């Protein structure tokens, strides 16, 4: 059919060409005519080849195996999707029911202690003292605005299950005692806002007041405490209110934090008579003979933007009102005679601390910090403690027969991140602190066995951190304390000349 | 002068010179996250704002391994390979399962 059609077209063209040439009166030469015929023949061949090629392609397409999705494939996919959906539901349910995230860390430490009193020549040493610290870290984002954080800790010397260090309620989980797991912190943060520019948080429970800054530098962890260690480092129960000032100041991390901590009344004596002063029908604790003591702490803190990001400044004000009331019973319990004219209340203490810490200062490998604290004690009165008629010590809150006394301390240091990849992010640090004659550290919960921030003298501390991997870390360190006074809060300081050194190595494993 | 203060001064001089001369180590990732990622990922921006705690560290590893960002937008013209490597380290180090700071009222 196609061939006949082509042939008729060619004949028509020939007749047309011939007709036109007759109509114009022109004649066509034989050569010209043959030329046209040859051109038409060539075109015909080309068309023939094209047609053949197209035919072959059509055949190829016809022979290509068809891929169609039939109903059985859709069915299999549906089953797979349903199975995955059920698995996801189970996983989601487990996640929703797992309200508390539990992680932990384990530390093994070895210490070498040396002590020498240059004034008396007395020397002591404790070498290769091993200890273990195990902690469970608990976190829960209960809701978007309610967060729980807790830390249980066990800390003990190797193979010594009942080493009594006279731990108080301010350091029970931090002192090396026994295998018991104790609650170091357990608190809830409730985030809310009364105004869109002033988000706030209410915190209650056993508050995060231990591991004061810059502990995070030599422990190689994020910040773990509300306060600088120079200001306050004690376990404590209380309530706190935080005001987030970011939107008001434009400074990242700026906040005002207000804390209230309290030690409740203890029984004084065993007066159980009607109308007596004892409270043992209501509150039966009769251990330390301390009376009401409360602490108020206010802290203003802020970060900085831009090149100074990583820098935090804190201004901390602490007031203990009163510091403590003294019960003569505690002297009798210690087998001593009661002081005469013992003050009913020792007095007040307030402390102001300014602290600044910068990590990766100006984008460098340096971290550094500096803190300065000023403290005032205001004794209610003082009395002379005597055995018989011989005066021994003066009791009355740091007093040497003076009502008001001041003290200062400063703490500075730096840490350098060694920028060699082969060292695996190792760090080296150095710290120095100095406390004056009447200085009181309020850092009874420090895990530092020498409690260096409580020193009435000078301290140098160097350390080297060698990470093995993300979860395992070695640390070596050496601390040198030169103590010039032996300062106990309720007595006048004694002049001493003590040198204490601590060399240690520890291995930390973190399960987070 | 007290020997201890002399030591402190020497350390301070060393620290200042090291700050000036030593290259930063690990801070580039945060800068890339804030400046380059943050140019699109912000409130009212081209993409939703997010924090490194959006994913756990393993999820961030998978995100970068499979180049998941390309599925939404190819940003190879705007960020270099070095930028991607740096921000990957930053996101993993600050992921949802990373160690977070603690203090009263700290979110």
């Amino acid at each position: 059919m196609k061939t006949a059609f082509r042939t008729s077209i060619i004949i028509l063209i020939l007749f047309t060409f011939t007709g036109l040439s007759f109509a114009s009166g022109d004649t066509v030469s034989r050569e010209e005519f043959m030329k046209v015929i040859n051109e038409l023949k060539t075109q015909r061949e080309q068309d023939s080849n094209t047609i053949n090629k197209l035919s072959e392609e059509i055949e190829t397409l016809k022979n290509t195996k068809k891929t169609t999705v039939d109903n059985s494939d859709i069915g299999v996919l549906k089953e797979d999707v349903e199975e995955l959906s059920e698995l996801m539901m189970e996983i989601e349910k487990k996640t929703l029911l797992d309200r508390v995230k539990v992680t932990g860390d384990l530390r093994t430490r070895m210490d070498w202690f040396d002590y020498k009193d240059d004034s008396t020549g007395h020397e002591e040493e404790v070498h290769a003292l091993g200890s273990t610290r195990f902690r469970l870290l608990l976190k829960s984002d209960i809701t978007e605005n309610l967060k729980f954080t807790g830390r249980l800790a066990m800390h003990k010397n190797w193979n010594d299950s009942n080493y009594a260090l006279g731990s108080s309620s301010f350091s029970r989980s931090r002192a090396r005692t026994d295998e018991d797991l104790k609650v170091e912190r357990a608190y809830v943060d409730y985030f809310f806002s009364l105004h869109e520019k002033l988000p706030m948080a209410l915190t209650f429970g056993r508050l995060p007041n231990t591991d004061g800054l810059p502990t995070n530098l030599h422990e190689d962890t994020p910040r773990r405490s509300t306060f600088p260690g120079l200001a306050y480092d004690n376990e404590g129960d209380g309530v706190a209110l935080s005001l987030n000032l970011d939107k008001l100041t434009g400074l990242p991390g700026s906040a005002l934090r207000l804390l209230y901590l309290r030690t409740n009344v203890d029984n004084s004596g065993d007066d159980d008579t009607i109308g007596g002063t004892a409270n043992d029908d209501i509150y039966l604790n009769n251990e330390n003979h301390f009376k009401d003591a409360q602490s108020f702490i206010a802290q203003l803190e802020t970060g900085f933007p831009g090149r100074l990001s990583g820098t935090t400044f804190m201004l901390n004000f602490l007031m203990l009102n009163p510091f403590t009331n003294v019960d003569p019973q505690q002297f009798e319990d210690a087998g001593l005679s009661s002081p005469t004219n013992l003050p009913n209340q020792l007095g007040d203490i307030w402390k102001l601390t300014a602290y600044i810490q910068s990590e990766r200062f100006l984008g460098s490998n340096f971290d550094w910090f500096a803190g300065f604290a000023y403290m005032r004690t205001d004794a209610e009165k003082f009395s002379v403690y005597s055995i018989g008629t011989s005066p021994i010590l003066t009791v009355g809150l740091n007093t040497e027969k003076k009502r008001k006394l001041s003290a200062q301390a400063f703490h500075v240091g730096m840490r350098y991140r060694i920028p060699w990849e082969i060292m695996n992010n190792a760090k080296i640090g150095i710290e120095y602190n100095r406390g004056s004659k009447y200085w009181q550290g309020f850092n009874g919960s420090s895990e530092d066995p020498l409690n260096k921030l409580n020193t009435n003298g000078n301290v140098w501390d160097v350390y080297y951190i060698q990470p093995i991997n993300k979860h395992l870390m070695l640390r070596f360190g050496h601390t040198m304390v030169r103590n010039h006074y032996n300062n106990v809060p309720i007595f006048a300081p004694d002049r001493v000349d003590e040198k204490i050194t601590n060399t240690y190595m520890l291995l930390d494993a973190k399960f987070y | 002068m007290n020997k201890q203060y002399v030591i402190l001064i020497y350390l301070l001089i060393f620290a200042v010179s090291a700050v000036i001369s030593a290259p930063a180590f690990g801070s580039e990732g945060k800068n890339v996250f804030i400046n380059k990622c943050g140019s699109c990922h912000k409130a009212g921006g081209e993409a939703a704002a997010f924090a490194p705690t959006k994913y756990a560290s393993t999820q961030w590893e998978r995100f970068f391994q499979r180049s998941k960002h390309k599925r939404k937008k190819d940003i190879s013209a705007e960020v270099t390979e070095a930028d991607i490597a740096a921000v990957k380290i930053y996101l993993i180090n600050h992921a949802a399962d990373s160690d977070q700071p603690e203090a009263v009222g700290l979110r």
Side-chain angles (χ1 to χ4, degrees):
Chain A
M1 178 70 177
K2 285 186 181 171
T3 310
F5 178 73
R6 284 188 185 277
T7 308
S8 60
I9 293 293
I10 292 168
I11 292 169
L12 182 63
I13 292 169
L14 281 172
F15 273 113
T16 305
F17 186 73
T18 308
L20 283 172
S21 65
F22 273 115
S24 66
D26 295 330
T27 58
V28 179
S29 69
R30 186 173 183 278
E31 289 78 16
E32 286 172 353
F33 187 77
M34 288 311 293
K35 186 180 171 188
V36 170
I37 296 293
N38 288 334
E39 282 174 3
L40 287 170
K41 277 185 184 174
T42 307
Q43 183 67 42
R44 185 171 178 271
E45 280 174 23
Q46 285 174 353
D47 287 346
S48 221
N49 289 337
T50 304
I51 289 169
N52 288 337
K53 274 188 191 169
L54 285 171
S55 296
E56 282 170 18
E57 283 177 17
I58 289 169
E59 283 305 312
T60 305
L61 282 171
K62 278 182 184 176
N63 293 332
T64 301
K65 196 171 180 181
K66 293 176 190 174
T67 53
T68 55
V69 177
D70 59 33
N71 286 338
S72 63
D73 289 341
I74 292 175
V76 169
L77 279 171
K78 270 188 181 173
E79 281 178 22
D80 286 346
V81 167
E82 276 174 19
E83 187 183 342
L84 283 169
S85 179
E86 278 175 27
L87 277 171
M88 290 301 296
M89 289 290 282
E90 284 298 314
I91 292 169
E92 188 187 26
K93 186 175 86 173
K94 187 178 185 312
T95 305
L96 291 169
L97 292 177
D98 284 344
R99 303 306 288 243
V100 181
K101 179 177 137 189
V102 181
T103 57
D105 59 47
L106 179 71
R107 168 174 291 178
T108 286
R109 176 172 171 145
M110 189 71 72
D111 287 283
W112 286 259
F113 295 102
D114 286 278
Y115 168 91
K116 186 179 178 188
D117 187 335
D118 281 341
S119 58
T120 63
H122 176 67
E123 291 185 32
E124 288 181 26
E125 66 178 40
V126 176
H127 286 178
L129 178 69
S131 63
T132 297
R133 184 191 77 184
F134 168 63
R135 301 192 301 191
L136 282 176
L137 316 174
L138 314 171
K139 284 187 193 289
S140 176
D141 290 330
I142 306 164
T143 67
E144 198 182 321
N145 293 328
L146 200 61
K147 188 175 92 165
F148 165 76
T149 310
R151 190 154 82 183
L152 315 179
M154 175 217 82
H155 203 177
K156 65 182 291 287
N157 293 319
W158 285 1
N159 305 311
D160 186 345
S161 58
N162 285 299
Y163 182 64
L165 279 181
S167 62
S168 70
S169 63
F170 296 110
S171 63
R172 282 203 202 284
S173 72
R174 311 277 289 178
R176 304 181 192 185
T177 50
D178 50 36
E179 296 95 353
D180 291 350
L181 209 58
K182 301 176 186 70
V183 178
E184 183 194 329
R185 56 182 65 177
Y187 64 95
V188 165
D189 291 298
Y190 172 59
F191 301 96
F192 63 100
S193 60
L194 300 175
H195 188 278
E196 61 174 8
K197 287 209 169 179
L198 195 64
M200 298 163 80
L202 176 70
T203 310
F204 55 92
R206 199 153 171 78
L207 303 177
N209 299 340
T210 54
D211 285 337
L213 281 71
T215 302
N216 59 311
L217 292 185
H218 66 247
E219 294 282 313
D220 206 21
T221 64
R223 173 183 178 182
R224 287 280 185 254
S225 175
T226 311
F227 310 122
L230 198 64
Y232 193 81
D233 193 335
N234 283 303
E235 295 172 14
D237 308 276
V239 292
L241 182 68
S242 301
L243 287 77
N244 186 327
L245 306 175
D246 281 12
K247 292 179 182 175
L248 292 175
T249 62
L251 293 170
S254 57
L256 174 66
R257 308 197 194 281
L258 306 167
L259 282 86
Y260 175 68
L261 311 169
R262 182 185 173 93
T263 300
N264 259 26
V265 64
D266 201 338
N267 277 324
S268 52
D270 295 316
D271 186 353
D272 203 11
T273 59
I274 295 172
T277 57
N279 296 315
D280 51 4
D281 286 336
I282 299 171
Y283 185 64
L284 304 179
N285 189 4
N286 200 15
E287 284 184 5
N288 296 320
H289 304 285
F290 286 123
K291 296 185 182 176
D292 286 353
Q294 43 196 3
S295 309
F296 303 93
I297 306 177
Q299 178 164 296
L300 197 60
E301 63 181 75
T302 184
F304 298 90
R307 291 264 289 163
L308 287 177
S309 67
T311 302
T312 304
F313 173 75
M314 296 173 179
L315 192 63
N316 180 291
F317 178 74
L318 159 73
M319 182 168 209
L320 274 73
N321 178 25
F323 172 62
T324 188
N325 294 338
V326 181
D327 184 347
Q329 186 65 43
Q330 63 183 312
F331 289 90
E332 291 178 21
D333 288 349
L336 303 171
S337 306
S338 293
T340 56
N341 297 319
L342 195 65
N344 189 45
Q345 187 196 90
L346 287 184
D348 301 336
I349 294 180
W350 63 263
K351 182 161 75 166
L352 185 66
T353 306
Y355 180 85
I356 185 165
Q357 179 172 307
S358 184
E359 294 186 49
R360 298 195 186 279
F361 179 60
L362 298 178
S364 73
N365 292 327
F366 263 102
D367 312 313
W368 64 271
F369 68 89
F372 176 77
Y374 176 79
M375 192 176 84
R376 286 280 292 213
T377 54
D378 187 357
E380 185 73 14
K381 68 175 190 178
F382 59 88
S383 71
V384 176
Y385 170 57
S386 59
I387 296 179
T389 56
S390 304
I392 305 295
L393 295 164
T394 307
V395 179
L397 198 66
N398 277 333
T399 186
E400 289 180 293
K401 301 184 181 177
K402 291 177 192 171
R403 282 288 305 278
K404 296 180 193 293
L405 291 168
S406 64
Q408 309 85 34
F410 66 88
H411 186 199
V412 296
M414 63 178 73
R415 187 181 74 167
Y416 180 63
R417 299 162 193 260
I418 300 171
W420 301 325
E421 228 170 296
I422 196 170
M423 302 286 291
N424 200 19
N425 207 22
K427 302 172 183 76
I428 186 163
I430 185 165
E431 299 183 12
Y432 174 78
N433 69 278
R434 182 183 174 90
S436 66
K437 182 178 177 183
Y438 299 110
W439 169 251
Q440 292 289 330
F442 294 109
N443 45 32
S445 289
S446 171
E447 275 193 351
D448 166 23
L450 300 187
N451 205 347
K452 67 179 189 182
L453 290 183
N454 213 31
T455 301
N456 303 95
N458 310 301
V459 183
W460 282 99
D461 189 5
V462 294
Y463 60 89
Y464 172 77
I465 297 170
Q466 180 58 66
I468 297 168
N469 57 42
K470 190 181 167 188
H471 302 286
L472 208 56
M473 178 187 86
L474 271 170
R475 189 168 99 225
F476 305 91
H478 183 73
T479 309
M480 295 162 288
V481 172
R482 192 70 190 249
N483 214 4
H484 300 308
Y485 291 95
N486 195 358
N487 194 357
V488 179
I490 63 171
F491 300 113
D494 278 337
R495 178 80 198 186
V496 296
D497 194 7
E498 295 172 337
K499 283 183 200 166
I500 312 167
T501 61
N502 170 221
T503 306
Y504 67 88
M505 53 187 277
L506 62 84
L507 184 60
D508 272 347
K510 299 176 187 176
F511 321 140
Y512 51 83
Chain B
M1 190 187 230
N2 189 308
K3 190 165 59 173
Q4 289 168 129
Y5 292 120
V6 170
I7 295 171
L8 277 173
I9 289 168
Y10 275 123
L11 285 170
L12 190 61
I13 292 168
F14 168 70
V16 169
S17 51
V19 165
I20 293 167
S21 58
F25 180 71
S27 66
E28 314 91 68
K30 185 177 180 180
N31 292 334
V32 171
F33 176 72
I34 291 171
N35 297 318
K36 291 201 175 178
C37 304
S39 63
C40 293
H41 288 275
K42 59 185 178 185
E46 197 178 322
F50 73 95
T53 49
K54 179 178 179 180
Y55 292 134
S57 53
T58 309
Q59 292 173 313
W60 279 123
E61 291 265 14
R62 192 163 61 234
F63 181 91
F64 283 93
Q65 203 173 26
R66 297 184 182 180
S67 302
K68 283 190 178 180
H69 199 289
K70 261 190 194 167
R71 299 180 192 182
K72 296 280 177 72
K73 183 182 177 183
D74 188 350
I75 54 169
S76 48
E78 285 101 4
V79 290
T80 63
E81 288 295 320
D83 286 341
I84 293 170
V87 81
K88 177 185 170 186
I89 292 171
Y90 175 74
L91 290 170
I92 288 170
N93 286 343
H94 294 82
D97 56 343
S98 66
D99 205 359
Q100 301 293 325
E102 291 174 22
V104 297
L106 205 64
R107 202 149 195 160

